[in-house]
Amino acid sequence: MAGTGTPPPTPPVAARRPVRREKFGRVWSDPWAWIRNREDPEVLRHLEAENAWTERCLAPWDGIRKAVLAEMKARIVPDSASPPVRHGPFLYYARYRRGEEYPVFCRRPAKTTVKNRGRGRAGPEQLLLDGNRLAREAHGESADGYFDLGALEISPDHRILAYAADTVGRRRYEFRFLDTRTGRVLEDRISGAAPNLVWARDGATVLYTSIDPGTLRWFRVMRHRLGTPAEQDEIAYEESDETFSVMVSESRSRELLLLHCEQTDRAEAWGIPSSDPEAAPRRIVARGGPHEFELDHFRSRFWIRTNRDAPDFRLVEAPESDPGNPEAWTDRIPAREGVPLEGFALFESHLALFERRSGRQTLRLVDWRTGASREVRLPGPVRALDEEENPEPGAAAVRVVVSTPKTPPTTLAVSLTTGRRRVLKREEVPNFDPARYRVRLLSAPAEDGVRIPISLVHHRDHPPASETPLLLYGYGAYGIPMDPAFSRTRLSLLDRGFTFAIAHVRGGQELGRAWYEAGRQHRKCNTFQDFIACARHLRKRGLGDPERLFAMGGSAGGLLMGAVLNEEPALFAGLVAMVPFVDVLNTMLDPDLPLTTAEYDEWGDPNRKEFFELLAGYAPQENIPQAALPHLFATSGLHDSQVQFWEPAKWVQRLRERNTNPDAVIVLRTNLDAGHGGRSGRYRGLEEIAEIYSFLLGLAERTTAGSP
């Protein structure tokens, strides 16, 4: 663990410089409002002192950290490649080389070009882009700073590769352009962009999304022509409503460049002909609301996944002449009660539908010609399902990735006509046997009687019991489901006797749109109470040691951790709050901060009294009780674009002030070279996880030994 000199004997104490705040007659103080300037040397010294204190507190468990880190690294195959994806005349794929942090991106001709004793052999590999070389160019030979390739888009003639890199972690990217025939990087540079770009049909014009430098909102679609300075780029569309963002995509027909504007429960769509990228955008579906939709164009029709008159969405087709008129829409996949439609993929012969039944993701195929429908059999009653890249409409199969808590991700090619599955790649995990693990699906009664699903996984030799440690994970926001996917790092907990559980609380969308609506805005507290109910239920059923019950959540899940801690400080022995959104009230009152205005529809606009009172009532920073608090590990990233680094920094100060438990370990780890997602790199990124796991395992061991 990297040191910062002699560890301090006591936790860092940030100077109190109270700022008085007042709204709707309520007055409160923000003592650490000054911890906002990432360029201020005093702020940096404080964060470094917090890191040093964290290292001091975790030093007794350094042996655990090193062992866990070694295990995690050993579960990575040093040389591996993704299954190739057919796109036009080439097969594209990424691969890792032994000892390297970042992938290299390659292609080879799709057709066999070399004959060898009568058998075909694939054409030669062409290495297009080396992420490791780009990271070294950005940070020196050690390439120890943050690096992320956020977009790779090939031109229609497959000659120019556009790629976006973020070297800070702030999620503001720079686009460059590579000539794949010569290997030369063009002079064009587009800075301050989102990782969002599409090519026009001419192969010389791109549309991309520009980010507001202050709020980081995706607010403009710009037009760039290769060979011209980015300063001369023209605005194709600007989103003036500060609660909306905009992005650009290519239609499935490849005839339109689609501009999609959205907020939490409203959307709008525009189109520009790919053959005429300088044309003014044409509105396809106007915003109104609440109305959410996803739109595509294919087979001379518009296809709209819409929640108009269908809370869990339906799929309609709309004529090109009048696509924005709901009266002209024809149901293709009507709404079905209890079966949320989460997505769709359009092919020449079939339609692929991604749905849910009883919280479980499913794949259904529909024949365009006959209308016949087939549900595909997928492994595991508890699983995660994602659509893979499917760039070719004429493909005979849809590619998906499926995993379970005990089964590594497997890429499948599912025949559109028969539904038969062909394994393209099963992620290899050395030293792993799925037969050693068990998966269960439970449910807990919430305060209002609603049953909250719980996914649970454990080692077969360590069945959950009243004397075994348990880690409960939760999120519950934005309608994002927490599907029970595989984690190779989590095995280090399971192998040491931990049970891992996910509480599928309201605010996610595991059980459809109503599940989300029941956990946002005025009903947000359901999310917190659901999580508490799940923890109590697991304890009551003897599925975890009450003295070794831990909780974890990140970002909006970190808000969940803060709210639960305030509500039930004695329920958990320890909590892990990763980049936690805990300064909710002050953040949502500052429209100049990233994400604030765009999320009024998620949390509520505190400029309205009803929402101000709601947020003030549960904001973690303002509601910490004077009590014996549990152990806590919080993380942050100095360049975090979503949850600003000062939120957990201020929160930890307040927690220590309010805590009456002298044995509580309350620490903050700030990554000074990264943002919301933590450190980059396939090996370096494991260091943060190993540190968190050493915290949990060390506490579990200490409790077993009977230490305070």
Side-chain angles (χ1 to χ4, degrees):
M1 194 180 300
T4 58
T6 303
T10 58
V13 178
R16 292 177 64 94
R17 298 167 190 162
V19 173
R20 183 180 185 274
R21 304 199 186 280
E22 183 177 0
K23 189 83 172 177
F24 295 118
R26 182 188 290 246
V27 177
W28 71 101
S29 174
D30 189 354
W32 303 284
W34 64 270
I35 308 180
R36 283 177 59 120
N37 184 0
R38 61 178 52 84
E39 307 298 331
D40 184 344
E42 184 179 3
V43 170
L44 294 176
R45 284 194 298 270
H46 174 71
L47 298 178
E48 289 167 351
E50 285 282 12
N51 284 346
W53 174 248
T54 297
E55 291 171 13
R56 178 188 178 94
C57 291
L58 300 189
W61 306 319
D62 196 46
I64 299 175
R65 182 193 65 81
K66 290 177 179 177
V68 167
L69 181 59
E71 291 171 6
M72 292 176 178
K73 289 182 176 180
R75 295 192 195 105
I76 294 177
V77 177
D79 300 283
S80 62
S82 64
V85 177
R86 172 73 179 263
H87 187 187
F90 293 98
L91 295 171
Y92 288 87
Y93 54 99
R95 59 182 177 85
Y96 282 97
R97 299 179 297 210
R98 183 177 296 270
E100 292 186 332
E101 295 284 349
Y102 302 103
V104 295
F105 297 91
C106 310
R107 73 180 181 190
R108 64 174 187 262
K111 295 181 179 179
T112 55
T113 57
V114 181
K115 294 290 183 177
N116 180 23
R117 296 182 181 179
R119 290 185 298 176
R121 192 174 67 200
E125 175 182 275
Q126 180 185 8
L127 194 158
L128 299 173
L129 208 61
D130 183 344
N132 304 282
R133 179 179 61 81
L134 294 174
R136 288 192 296 270
E137 290 176 358
H139 298 292
E141 281 304 310
S142 66
D144 199 32
Y146 183 86
F147 181 78
D148 178 57
L149 278 174
L152 294 168
E153 298 292 343
I154 195 71
S155 61
D157 61 4
H158 294 264
R159 176 180 173 180
I160 306 295
L161 177 67
Y163 62 93
D166 174 10
T167 59
V168 175
R170 196 67 176 157
R171 298 193 177 180
R172 296 183 72 222
Y173 291 78
E174 179 181 76
F175 272 103
R176 300 298 307 276
F177 299 85
L178 172 75
D179 189 323
T180 63
R181 297 190 303 184
T182 66
R184 181 176 67 90
V185 178
L186 306 185
E187 295 296 323
D188 303 63
R189 289 178 182 266
I190 299 173
S191 300
N196 178 225
L197 174 148
V198 294
W199 287 92
R201 186 175 295 176
D202 61 13
T205 305
V206 297
L207 266 60
Y208 65 93
T209 303
S210 180
I211 295 180
D212 181 286
T215 64
L216 303 184
R217 182 169 65 95
W218 294 22
F219 78 125
R220 283 179 182 158
V221 173
M222 305 293 293
R223 184 185 300 110
H224 176 79
R225 187 162 184 84
L226 294 183
T228 64
E231 294 76 18
Q232 297 178 10
D233 290 355
E234 299 173 340
I235 299 174
Y237 176 87
E238 180 167 359
E239 179 51 68
S240 58
D241 188 330
E242 63 182 9
T243 68
F244 274 76
S245 60
V246 61
M247 66 174 295
V248 62
S249 64
E250 182 184 41
S251 70
R252 190 65 160 168
S253 64
R254 297 175 182 162
E255 296 174 7
L256 290 173
L257 308 178
L258 298 172
L259 284 57
H260 191 78
C261 311
E262 64 179 4
Q263 56 170 212
T264 301
D265 56 7
R266 288 166 173 79
E268 183 173 66
W270 301 71
I272 297 175
S274 185
S275 59
D276 186 12
E278 296 189 6
R282 168 204 171 197
R283 183 153 47 197
I284 301 171
V285 178
R287 69 188 64 184
H291 180 213
E292 297 173 67
F293 65 87
E294 173 188 0
L295 176 141
D296 208 339
H297 180 263
F298 190 60
R299 296 165 60 100
S300 301
R301 289 283 191 278
F302 285 100
W303 303 88
I304 306 172
R305 173 182 162 268
T306 173
N307 68 352
R308 186 185 294 277
D309 303 322
D312 283 326
F313 292 87
R314 58 187 171 124
L315 184 67
V316 302
E317 59 177 288
E320 292 178 313
S321 59
D322 194 16
N325 178 12
E327 299 298 322
W329 294 354
T330 302
D331 269 8
R332 190 69 192 212
I333 303 298
R336 294 190 294 166
E337 186 176 355
V339 185
L341 174 60
E342 295 191 327
F344 65 99
L346 301 160
F347 294 88
E348 293 286 357
S349 62
H350 284 73
L351 169 66
L353 302 170
F354 296 87
E355 301 173 323
R356 266 181 204 274
R357 295 192 183 191
S358 302
R360 184 174 61 181
Q361 295 169 289
T362 63
L363 172 64
R364 187 159 62 101
L365 307 175
V366 178
D367 189 310
W368 287 121
R369 184 177 57 85
T370 65
S373 171
R374 177 196 307 274
E375 185 166 320
V376 177
R377 294 185 61 185
L378 295 170
V382 179
R383 60 171 175 255
L385 173 69
D386 294 294
E387 183 185 1
E388 248 282 25
E389 289 185 87
N390 288 288
E392 292 297 313
V398 55
R399 293 161 55 106
V400 298
V401 178
V402 63
S403 76
T404 77
K406 69 170 190 174
T407 309
T410 301
T411 303
L412 303 173
V414 180
S415 169
L416 294 169
T417 55
T418 67
R420 291 176 181 166
R421 304 171 300 174
R422 178 167 59 93
V423 175
L424 299 178
K425 180 181 176 66
R426 181 172 288 113
E427 190 172 299
E428 185 179 350
V429 181
N431 309 313
F432 168 73
D433 179 3
R436 297 174 185 162
Y437 304 91
R438 301 288 183 266
V439 176
R440 298 169 65 179
L441 182 63
L442 313 171
S443 68
E447 282 190 341
D448 57 4
V450 173
R451 304 294 300 192
I452 312 301
I454 305 172
S455 300
L456 184 147
V457 59
H458 63 89
H459 194 286
R460 68 183 180 191
D461 296 337
H462 305 290
S466 58
E467 66 275 4
T468 55
L470 185 146
L471 175 60
L472 183 63
Y473 183 89
Y475 187 73
Y478 304 107
I480 298 175
M482 285 292 104
D483 290 309
F486 180 79
S487 167
R488 65 173 71 219
T489 59
R490 191 189 301 144
L491 299 175
S492 291
L493 291 179
L494 302 181
D495 291 350
R496 287 173 170 80
F498 262 78
T499 296
F500 179 83
I502 301 173
H504 300 283
V505 294
R506 284 173 284 188
Q509 207 155 226
E510 289 89 336
L511 295 177
R513 179 70 186 200
W515 201 249
Y516 170 39
E517 294 292 347
R520 76 175 181 115
Q521 292 194 348
H522 294 294
R523 300 177 178 179
K524 186 63 202 170
C525 290
N526 280 340
T527 303
F528 315 142
Q529 295 303 325
D530 289 355
F531 193 82
I532 290 170
C534 288
R536 288 174 174 166
H537 182 74
L538 292 169
R539 286 179 51 169
K540 182 178 179 181
R541 291 194 53 179
L543 298 177
D545 182 351
E547 301 300 318
R548 292 189 291 169
L549 179 61
F550 302 97
M552 176 186 285
S555 194
L559 162 63
L560 170 61
M561 295 300 101
V564 166
L565 182 150
N566 292 349
E567 182 77 15
E568 295 271 359
L571 181 58
F572 294 98
L575 295 95
V576 175
M578 300 170 290
V579 292
F581 178 39
V582 284
D583 197 19
V584 177
L585 189 61
N586 293 314
T587 291
M588 293 304 294
L589 282 167
D590 189 344
D592 295 327
L593 289 178
L595 302 184
T596 294
T597 57
E599 299 202 350
Y600 286 159
D601 282 328
E602 177 67 27
W603 311 104
D605 180 355
N607 297 298
R608 295 167 55 185
K609 186 175 182 179
E610 57 179 316
F611 288 120
F612 173 82
E613 296 295 344
L614 174 70
L615 293 172
Y618 70 70
Q621 180 76 4
E622 279 71 39
N623 291 283
I624 300 169
Q626 187 92 22
L629 300 182
H631 306 292
L632 181 127
F633 191 126
T635 72
S636 71
L638 183 63
H639 302 288
D640 197 327
S641 60
Q642 293 176 264
V643 176
Q644 303 305 307
F645 73 91
W646 59 78
E647 295 206 22
K650 292 164 56 177
W651 184 49
V652 163
Q653 290 294 305
R654 179 95 65 182
L655 286 168
R656 292 185 186 134
E657 282 194 351
R658 305 292 290 171
N659 175 43
T660 62
N661 175 13
D663 296 316
V665 178
I666 299 176
V667 296
L668 168 67
R669 166 66 77 185
T670 300
N671 190 315
L672 301 176
D673 297 307
H676 197 64
R679 200 172 189 190
S680 62
R682 64 169 174 163
Y683 293 112
R684 294 192 186 100
L686 298 175
E687 295 172 4
E688 296 176 352
I689 303 173
E691 191 171 57
I692 290 171
Y693 282 9
S694 72
F695 171 80
L696 293 168
L697 291 164
L699 289 175
E701 281 189 2
R702 192 169 77 171
T703 304
T704 301
S707 301

